[in-house]
Amino acid sequence: MNKTVILKLGGSVITEKENAGVIDHTRLTTIAETIASHHDYPLILVHGAGSCGHPEAERFGIQGGVGERNAIGVGETHRAVAGLNAVVVSILRGAGLDAIGIHPLSGSLAENGRLISFETGHLAKMAEIGLVPVLHGDVVMDRAKGACIVSGDQLVLRIAEGVGPCRVGLATDVPGVLSCGNVVRTITRSTLNGINLGNSQKTDVTGGMRGKVEELLTLADAGIISSIFHIDRLAAFLAGAEHGGTTIIGADT
Ligand code: IPE
């Protein structure tokens, strides 16, 4: 059985969402140490942008389409999130992990916001020999819109479809998917509409919690179970233990 785990660190977990461009080094160091102490299976990491990318994407109106008028925003947005990626990789390496940064902008193509060309074979091979590829939500060239934002959640989905992991986890700054203040323990496509997911107040160009759940339901349709949990429960998730968060499953899982 494929033992690969795919883990996404939400942007709000590793950056200060209220302070543009500020990275939470202390939290990242704790995360890196936790991952390093559980790294006994192939692991692929993805992280979001938080305040290192969302503000730039919004400022340059990337999601509305990119042409000559706002082409400068491609480089500005990528620079912000690639800078965050360099810090994440460096902290992971400091904790003893053989982490390697991978930029989606460099080798993928989207159409209307969805990846149509995205290689995963190299990621599986890296993970298999003990390397830890670290991807990130990014601005990606788009055949229809010029460029678009591809969220870390969409990347998790595409990597999972290509690699066939045994577990997928999204670590966030909330305990799971919340409805009326309570964690929704299980979500299927048929229960999603009955759940009041609310809206993120902060700048998030890729859809907040609803966007996350929708990406994960597509995975569930393919038989891959995923979890959304609080970053403080990372060790439990990595150990395959109860993490107290939300599990997203397919109708027949
Ligand atoms: C967004 O990635 C990428 C950019 C804005 C460049 P995500 O949508 O995965 O980021 P978070 O986790 O919501 O911050």
Side-chain angles (χ1 to χ4, degrees), residues 8-12 17 47-50 53-54 57 77 81 137-139 149-153 204-206 212:
K8 183 200 169 191
L9 304 170
S12 57
K17 265 217 165 183
H47 65 80
H54 277 291
T77 304
V81 75
D138 205 354
V139 57
I149 298 298
V150 169
S151 70
D153 302 327
D204 187 334
V205 296
T206 48
K212 246 179 249 317

PDB file of all heavy atoms in Angstrom, residues 8-12 17 47-50 53-54 57 77 81 137-139 149-153 204-206 212, ligand 1:
ATOM      1  N   LYS A   8      -1.019  19.793   4.003  1.00  0.00           N
ATOM      2  CA  LYS A   8      -1.000  21.220   3.666  1.00  0.00           C
ATOM      3  C   LYS A   8      -1.025  22.055   4.949  1.00  0.00           C
ATOM      4  O   LYS A   8      -1.858  21.829   5.831  1.00  0.00           O
ATOM      5  CB  LYS A   8      -2.189  21.633   2.802  1.00  0.00           C
ATOM      6  CG  LYS A   8      -2.058  23.123   2.420  1.00  0.00           C
ATOM      7  CD  LYS A   8      -3.313  23.826   1.975  1.00  0.00           C
ATOM      8  CE  LYS A   8      -3.064  25.345   1.911  1.00  0.00           C
ATOM      9  NZ  LYS A   8      -4.263  26.143   1.728  1.00  0.00           N
ATOM     10  N   LEU A   9      -0.110  23.002   5.011  1.00  0.00           N
ATOM     11  CA  LEU A   9      -0.097  23.979   6.095  1.00  0.00           C
ATOM     12  C   LEU A   9      -0.799  25.228   5.577  1.00  0.00           C
ATOM     13  O   LEU A   9      -0.336  25.849   4.605  1.00  0.00           O
ATOM     14  CB  LEU A   9       1.347  24.318   6.487  1.00  0.00           C
ATOM     15  CG  LEU A   9       2.227  23.138   6.894  1.00  0.00           C
ATOM     16  CD1 LEU A   9       3.681  23.587   7.024  1.00  0.00           C
ATOM     17  CD2 LEU A   9       1.725  22.532   8.206  1.00  0.00           C
ATOM     18  N   GLY A  10      -1.911  25.581   6.184  1.00  0.00           N
ATOM     19  CA  GLY A  10      -2.652  26.766   5.751  1.00  0.00           C
ATOM     20  C   GLY A  10      -1.801  28.013   5.893  1.00  0.00           C
ATOM     21  O   GLY A  10      -0.966  28.124   6.796  1.00  0.00           O
ATOM     22  N   GLY A  11      -2.032  28.965   4.991  1.00  0.00           N
ATOM     23  CA  GLY A  11      -1.275  30.214   5.044  1.00  0.00           C
ATOM     24  C   GLY A  11      -1.452  30.947   6.358  1.00  0.00           C
ATOM     25  O   GLY A  11      -0.517  31.572   6.878  1.00  0.00           O
ATOM     26  N   SER A  12      -2.648  30.829   6.951  1.00  0.00           N
ATOM     27  CA  SER A  12      -2.902  31.563   8.197  1.00  0.00           C
ATOM     28  C   SER A  12      -2.192  30.913   9.376  1.00  0.00           C
ATOM     29  O   SER A  12      -2.067  31.521  10.443  1.00  0.00           O
ATOM     30  CB  SER A  12      -4.409  31.640   8.466  1.00  0.00           C
ATOM     31  OG  SER A  12      -4.939  30.348   8.507  1.00  0.00           O
ATOM     32  N   LYS A  17      -1.863  36.763   9.407  1.00  0.00           N
ATOM     33  CA  LYS A  17      -2.789  37.206   8.363  1.00  0.00           C
ATOM     34  C   LYS A  17      -3.083  38.705   8.416  1.00  0.00           C
ATOM     35  O   LYS A  17      -3.352  39.324   7.397  1.00  0.00           O
ATOM     36  CB  LYS A  17      -4.092  36.388   8.396  1.00  0.00           C
ATOM     37  CG  LYS A  17      -4.048  35.207   7.409  1.00  0.00           C
ATOM     38  CD  LYS A  17      -5.386  34.944   6.726  1.00  0.00           C
ATOM     39  CE  LYS A  17      -5.224  34.029   5.518  1.00  0.00           C
ATOM     40  NZ  LYS A  17      -6.448  33.779   4.766  1.00  0.00           N
ATOM     41  N   HIS A  47       2.085  24.393   1.160  1.00  0.00           N
ATOM     42  CA  HIS A  47       1.633  25.439   2.074  1.00  0.00           C
ATOM     43  C   HIS A  47       0.899  26.534   1.319  1.00  0.00           C
ATOM     44  O   HIS A  47       1.065  26.700   0.111  1.00  0.00           O
ATOM     45  CB  HIS A  47       2.791  25.999   2.922  1.00  0.00           C
ATOM     46  CG  HIS A  47       3.855  26.713   2.149  1.00  0.00           C
ATOM     47  ND1 HIS A  47       3.706  28.023   1.717  1.00  0.00           N
ATOM     48  CD2 HIS A  47       5.075  26.320   1.728  1.00  0.00           C
ATOM     49  CE1 HIS A  47       4.796  28.383   1.071  1.00  0.00           C
ATOM     50  NE2 HIS A  47       5.647  27.362   1.046  1.00  0.00           N
ATOM     51  N   GLY A  48       0.080  27.250   2.077  1.00  0.00           N
ATOM     52  CA  GLY A  48      -0.672  28.361   1.500  1.00  0.00           C
ATOM     53  C   GLY A  48       0.152  29.642   1.527  1.00  0.00           C
ATOM     54  O   GLY A  48       1.348  29.629   1.856  1.00  0.00           O
ATOM     55  N   ALA A  49      -0.510  30.732   1.213  1.00  0.00           N
ATOM     56  CA  ALA A  49       0.188  32.007   1.088  1.00  0.00           C
ATOM     57  C   ALA A  49      -0.023  32.911   2.300  1.00  0.00           C
ATOM     58  O   ALA A  49       0.873  33.658   2.690  1.00  0.00           O
ATOM     59  CB  ALA A  49      -0.286  32.726  -0.171  1.00  0.00           C
ATOM     60  N   GLY A  50      -1.223  32.850   2.890  1.00  0.00           N
ATOM     61  CA  GLY A  50      -1.523  33.761   3.991  1.00  0.00           C
ATOM     62  C   GLY A  50      -1.267  35.199   3.582  1.00  0.00           C
ATOM     63  O   GLY A  50      -1.664  35.626   2.497  1.00  0.00           O
ATOM     64  N   GLY A  53       1.171  36.763  -0.240  1.00  0.00           N
ATOM     65  CA  GLY A  53       0.651  36.349  -1.543  1.00  0.00           C
ATOM     66  C   GLY A  53      -0.795  36.750  -1.771  1.00  0.00           C
ATOM     67  O   GLY A  53      -1.129  37.283  -2.822  1.00  0.00           O
ATOM     68  N   HIS A  54      -1.657  36.527  -0.779  1.00  0.00           N
ATOM     69  CA  HIS A  54      -3.063  36.936  -0.961  1.00  0.00           C
ATOM     70  C   HIS A  54      -3.196  38.452  -1.168  1.00  0.00           C
ATOM     71  O   HIS A  54      -3.918  38.887  -2.078  1.00  0.00           O
ATOM     72  CB  HIS A  54      -3.928  36.487   0.224  1.00  0.00           C
ATOM     73  CG  HIS A  54      -4.388  35.060   0.115  1.00  0.00           C
ATOM     74  ND1 HIS A  54      -5.308  34.644  -0.817  1.00  0.00           N
ATOM     75  CD2 HIS A  54      -4.053  33.952   0.825  1.00  0.00           C
ATOM     76  CE1 HIS A  54      -5.525  33.339  -0.678  1.00  0.00           C
ATOM     77  NE2 HIS A  54      -4.766  32.895   0.305  1.00  0.00           N
ATOM     78  N   ALA A  57      -2.051  39.220  -4.709  1.00  0.00           N
ATOM     79  CA  ALA A  57      -2.989  38.705  -5.711  1.00  0.00           C
ATOM     80  C   ALA A  57      -4.196  39.626  -5.810  1.00  0.00           C
ATOM     81  O   ALA A  57      -4.702  39.914  -6.906  1.00  0.00           O
ATOM     82  CB  ALA A  57      -3.420  37.295  -5.335  1.00  0.00           C
ATOM     83  N   THR A  77       3.267  38.661  -7.093  1.00  0.00           N
ATOM     84  CA  THR A  77       2.562  37.667  -6.276  1.00  0.00           C
ATOM     85  C   THR A  77       3.457  36.437  -6.070  1.00  0.00           C
ATOM     86  O   THR A  77       3.586  35.910  -4.961  1.00  0.00           O
ATOM     87  CB  THR A  77       1.239  37.253  -6.955  1.00  0.00           C
ATOM     88  OG1 THR A  77       0.469  38.438  -7.175  1.00  0.00           O
ATOM     89  CG2 THR A  77       0.444  36.286  -6.097  1.00  0.00           C
ATOM     90  N   VAL A  81       5.046  34.724  -2.394  1.00  0.00           N
ATOM     91  CA  VAL A  81       4.813  33.372  -1.876  1.00  0.00           C
ATOM     92  C   VAL A  81       6.066  32.500  -2.023  1.00  0.00           C
ATOM     93  O   VAL A  81       6.319  31.616  -1.194  1.00  0.00           O
ATOM     94  CB  VAL A  81       3.529  32.770  -2.508  1.00  0.00           C
ATOM     95  CG1 VAL A  81       3.738  32.346  -3.930  1.00  0.00           C
ATOM     96  CG2 VAL A  81       3.009  31.629  -1.673  1.00  0.00           C
ATOM     97  N   GLY A 137       0.708  27.255  -2.770  1.00  0.00           N
ATOM     98  CA  GLY A 137      -0.263  27.962  -3.590  1.00  0.00           C
ATOM     99  C   GLY A 137       0.500  29.018  -4.378  1.00  0.00           C
ATOM    100  O   GLY A 137       1.418  29.641  -3.847  1.00  0.00           O
ATOM    101  N   ASP A 138       0.132  29.218  -5.646  1.00  0.00           N
ATOM    102  CA  ASP A 138       0.976  30.067  -6.499  1.00  0.00           C
ATOM    103  C   ASP A 138       0.122  30.746  -7.569  1.00  0.00           C
ATOM    104  O   ASP A 138      -1.033  30.374  -7.809  1.00  0.00           O
ATOM    105  CB  ASP A 138       2.042  29.192  -7.179  1.00  0.00           C
ATOM    106  CG  ASP A 138       3.297  29.956  -7.588  1.00  0.00           C
ATOM    107  OD1 ASP A 138       3.330  31.193  -7.463  1.00  0.00           O
ATOM    108  OD2 ASP A 138       4.260  29.286  -8.028  1.00  0.00           O
ATOM    109  N   VAL A 139       0.723  31.728  -8.220  1.00  0.00           N
ATOM    110  CA  VAL A 139       0.143  32.262  -9.445  1.00  0.00           C
ATOM    111  C   VAL A 139       0.668  31.374 -10.569  1.00  0.00           C
ATOM    112  O   VAL A 139       1.833  30.977 -10.571  1.00  0.00           O
ATOM    113  CB  VAL A 139       0.519  33.758  -9.621  1.00  0.00           C
ATOM    114  CG1 VAL A 139       2.010  33.968  -9.637  1.00  0.00           C
ATOM    115  CG2 VAL A 139      -0.115  34.354 -10.851  1.00  0.00           C
ATOM    116  N   ILE A 149      -4.739  32.273  -9.777  1.00  0.00           N
ATOM    117  CA  ILE A 149      -4.183  31.748  -8.528  1.00  0.00           C
ATOM    118  C   ILE A 149      -4.598  30.293  -8.389  1.00  0.00           C
ATOM    119  O   ILE A 149      -5.776  29.955  -8.487  1.00  0.00           O
ATOM    120  CB  ILE A 149      -4.722  32.541  -7.306  1.00  0.00           C
ATOM    121  CG1 ILE A 149      -4.294  34.010  -7.386  1.00  0.00           C
ATOM    122  CG2 ILE A 149      -4.231  31.902  -6.010  1.00  0.00           C
ATOM    123  CD1 ILE A 149      -2.809  34.242  -7.356  1.00  0.00           C
ATOM    124  N   VAL A 150      -3.615  29.436  -8.190  1.00  0.00           N
ATOM    125  CA  VAL A 150      -3.907  28.039  -7.878  1.00  0.00           C
ATOM    126  C   VAL A 150      -3.645  27.866  -6.387  1.00  0.00           C
ATOM    127  O   VAL A 150      -2.527  28.092  -5.913  1.00  0.00           O
ATOM    128  CB  VAL A 150      -3.022  27.096  -8.723  1.00  0.00           C
ATOM    129  CG1 VAL A 150      -3.131  25.671  -8.213  1.00  0.00           C
ATOM    130  CG2 VAL A 150      -3.443  27.163 -10.189  1.00  0.00           C
ATOM    131  N   SER A 151      -4.692  27.525  -5.649  1.00  0.00           N
ATOM    132  CA  SER A 151      -4.560  27.416  -4.192  1.00  0.00           C
ATOM    133  C   SER A 151      -3.784  26.156  -3.818  1.00  0.00           C
ATOM    134  O   SER A 151      -3.721  25.183  -4.584  1.00  0.00           O
ATOM    135  CB  SER A 151      -5.939  27.370  -3.537  1.00  0.00           C
ATOM    136  OG  SER A 151      -6.553  26.132  -3.832  1.00  0.00           O
ATOM    137  N   GLY A 152      -3.258  26.179  -2.611  1.00  0.00           N
ATOM    138  CA  GLY A 152      -2.619  24.987  -2.082  1.00  0.00           C
ATOM    139  C   GLY A 152      -3.607  23.826  -2.031  1.00  0.00           C
ATOM    140  O   GLY A 152      -3.226  22.670  -2.201  1.00  0.00           O
ATOM    141  N   ASP A 153      -4.880  24.141  -1.813  1.00  0.00           N
ATOM    142  CA  ASP A 153      -5.896  23.079  -1.746  1.00  0.00           C
ATOM    143  C   ASP A 153      -6.051  22.403  -3.106  1.00  0.00           C
ATOM    144  O   ASP A 153      -6.184  21.187  -3.190  1.00  0.00           O
ATOM    145  CB  ASP A 153      -7.235  23.653  -1.281  1.00  0.00           C
ATOM    146  CG  ASP A 153      -7.107  24.315   0.083  1.00  0.00           C
ATOM    147  OD1 ASP A 153      -6.299  23.839   0.897  1.00  0.00           O
ATOM    148  OD2 ASP A 153      -7.804  25.313   0.333  1.00  0.00           O
ATOM    149  N   ASP A 204      -8.813  36.478   1.247  1.00  0.00           N
ATOM    150  CA  ASP A 204      -8.562  35.126   0.768  1.00  0.00           C
ATOM    151  C   ASP A 204      -9.163  35.015  -0.618  1.00  0.00           C
ATOM    152  O   ASP A 204     -10.379  34.951  -0.776  1.00  0.00           O
ATOM    153  CB  ASP A 204      -9.188  34.101   1.722  1.00  0.00           C
ATOM    154  CG  ASP A 204      -8.790  32.673   1.346  1.00  0.00           C
ATOM    155  OD1 ASP A 204      -8.498  32.436   0.158  1.00  0.00           O
ATOM    156  OD2 ASP A 204      -8.778  31.810   2.238  1.00  0.00           O
ATOM    157  N   VAL A 205      -8.293  35.002  -1.630  1.00  0.00           N
ATOM    158  CA  VAL A 205      -8.795  35.028  -3.002  1.00  0.00           C
ATOM    159  C   VAL A 205      -9.165  33.629  -3.494  1.00  0.00           C
ATOM    160  O   VAL A 205      -9.618  33.470  -4.612  1.00  0.00           O
ATOM    161  CB  VAL A 205      -7.772  35.666  -3.980  1.00  0.00           C
ATOM    162  CG1 VAL A 205      -7.541  37.119  -3.634  1.00  0.00           C
ATOM    163  CG2 VAL A 205      -6.462  34.909  -4.012  1.00  0.00           C
ATOM    164  N   THR A 206      -8.964  32.606  -2.683  1.00  0.00           N
ATOM    165  CA  THR A 206      -9.204  31.250  -3.182  1.00  0.00           C
ATOM    166  C   THR A 206     -10.344  30.519  -2.481  1.00  0.00           C
ATOM    167  O   THR A 206     -10.439  29.300  -2.560  1.00  0.00           O
ATOM    168  CB  THR A 206      -7.915  30.413  -3.135  1.00  0.00           C
ATOM    169  OG1 THR A 206      -7.312  30.559  -1.851  1.00  0.00           O
ATOM    170  CG2 THR A 206      -6.942  30.831  -4.211  1.00  0.00           C
ATOM    171  N   LYS A 212     -11.940  24.974   0.436  1.00  0.00           N
ATOM    172  CA  LYS A 212     -11.175  23.829   0.939  1.00  0.00           C
ATOM    173  C   LYS A 212     -12.020  22.562   0.889  1.00  0.00           C
ATOM    174  O   LYS A 212     -11.591  21.531   0.383  1.00  0.00           O
ATOM    175  CB  LYS A 212     -10.838  24.096   2.414  1.00  0.00           C
ATOM    176  CG  LYS A 212      -9.388  24.270   2.700  1.00  0.00           C
ATOM    177  CD  LYS A 212      -9.190  24.551   4.165  1.00  0.00           C
ATOM    178  CE  LYS A 212      -8.735  25.962   4.412  1.00  0.00           C
ATOM    179  NZ  LYS A 212      -7.707  26.447   3.513  1.00  0.00           N
TER     180      LYS A 212
HETATM  181  C1  IPE B   1      -2.917  31.075  -2.341  1.00  0.00           C
HETATM  182  O1  IPE B   1      -2.772  29.799  -1.788  1.00  0.00           O
HETATM  183  C2  IPE B   1      -1.745  31.386  -3.220  1.00  0.00           C
HETATM  184  C3  IPE B   1      -1.604  32.827  -3.550  1.00  0.00           C
HETATM  185  C4  IPE B   1      -2.432  33.763  -3.201  1.00  0.00           C
HETATM  186  C5  IPE B   1      -0.418  33.178  -4.317  1.00  0.00           C
HETATM  187  P1  IPE B   1      -3.829  29.278  -0.692  1.00  0.00           P
HETATM  188  O2  IPE B   1      -5.209  29.700  -1.082  1.00  0.00           O
HETATM  189  O3  IPE B   1      -3.610  27.823  -0.531  1.00  0.00           O
HETATM  190  O4  IPE B   1      -3.368  30.055   0.616  1.00  0.00           O
HETATM  191  P2  IPE B   1      -4.060  30.061   2.073  1.00  0.00           P
HETATM  192  O5  IPE B   1      -3.770  28.765   2.737  1.00  0.00           O
HETATM  193  O6  IPE B   1      -5.551  30.269   1.853  1.00  0.00           O
HETATM  194  O7  IPE B   1      -3.412  31.228   2.748  1.00  0.00           O
END
